Amino acid sequence: MINATTVKNHLFVLKISIFVSVFLLFVKFIAYFLTDSHSIFTDALESLVNVAAAWMGFYSFRWSNKPRDLDHPYGHGNIEFVSSGIEGGMIASAGVVIIVKSVYAFLYPSEIRSLDLGIALTVFTGIVNFFVGWWIEKKGKDSGSLIMIANGKHLQSDAYT
């Protein structure tokens, strides 16, 4: 368990992650509605997972740093495993929706509109994801927080894709 000041600082960083994830979710859905691009839609769906992962990371970190009690004599650290399992299930669900949408788009293609604006918005979200992920990962490495490191790497991997 880490000290109270570090926990407070990490919770602030994770709150920023939630805010940024929600903001980027809206930007990606705006880009999708402007373009009707299947690629941008799948990226927006994955952003739903980012928002949920940011919330779960926040609460998992908060709970995992609670002191031991009578019901949890070894602490609350196992919440991280539950959080990871839920996030994996959400990623799998998003994958199923993306496959269904891909088949539909293949059978009933639509014309892409406003591609220049859609690409600009998508590039913007990728850059923001990368730098926020880098910042969160750095904060996690400074204190040895696996939740923060994983959250940062997740955002950076989204930027790459």
Side-chain angles (χ1 to χ4, degrees):
M1 196 162 89
I2 55 181
N3 69 46
T5 303
T6 304
V7 169
K8 186 176 178 181
N9 290 338
H10 282 10
L11 289 174
F12 174 75
V13 170
L14 291 169
K15 285 178 186 177
I16 297 293
S17 175
I18 292 168
F19 174 77
V20 169
S21 295
V22 170
F23 172 72
L24 295 179
L25 171 71
F26 283 114
V27 171
K28 289 177 183 181
F29 270 106
I30 288 169
Y32 166 66
F33 289 120
L34 288 173
T35 63
D36 200 29
S37 166
H38 176 67
S39 296
I40 294 174
F41 175 74
T42 58
D43 192 27
L45 276 182
E46 205 281 326
S47 287
L48 288 171
V49 174
N50 287 353
V51 170
W55 276 103
M56 285 189 298
F58 175 80
Y59 284 107
S60 294
F61 184 81
R62 200 167 103 188
W63 277 90
S64 70
N65 282 288
K66 285 188 171 203
R68 291 183 279 192
D69 57 28
L70 291 176
D71 293 332
H72 305 92
Y74 299 105
H76 296 84
N78 285 339
I79 189 74
E80 295 176 36
F81 298 113
V82 174
S83 175
S84 299
I86 292 171
E87 186 175 346
M90 289 180 354
I91 290 169
S93 298
V96 169
V97 171
I98 289 168
I99 290 169
V100 169
K101 175 71 172 155
S102 298
V103 170
Y104 181 83
F106 181 75
L107 297 174
Y108 305 101
S110 61
E111 186 176 332
I112 297 176
R113 310 174 305 266
S114 304
L115 193 56
D116 52 348
L117 181 57
I119 289 173
L121 290 173
T122 303
V123 167
F124 168 75
T125 62
I127 291 169
V128 171
N129 256 344
F130 179 82
F131 283 108
V132 170
W134 171 83
W135 180 60
I136 292 170
E137 182 182 3
K138 182 180 180 314
K139 293 289 189 181
K141 284 181 178 179
D142 290 346
S143 66
S145 169
L146 294 178
I147 293 173
M148 302 264 302
I149 293 169
N151 191 312
K153 286 188 179 295
H154 180 186
L155 291 177
Q156 288 178 327
S157 70
D158 288 347
Y160 298 137
T161 58

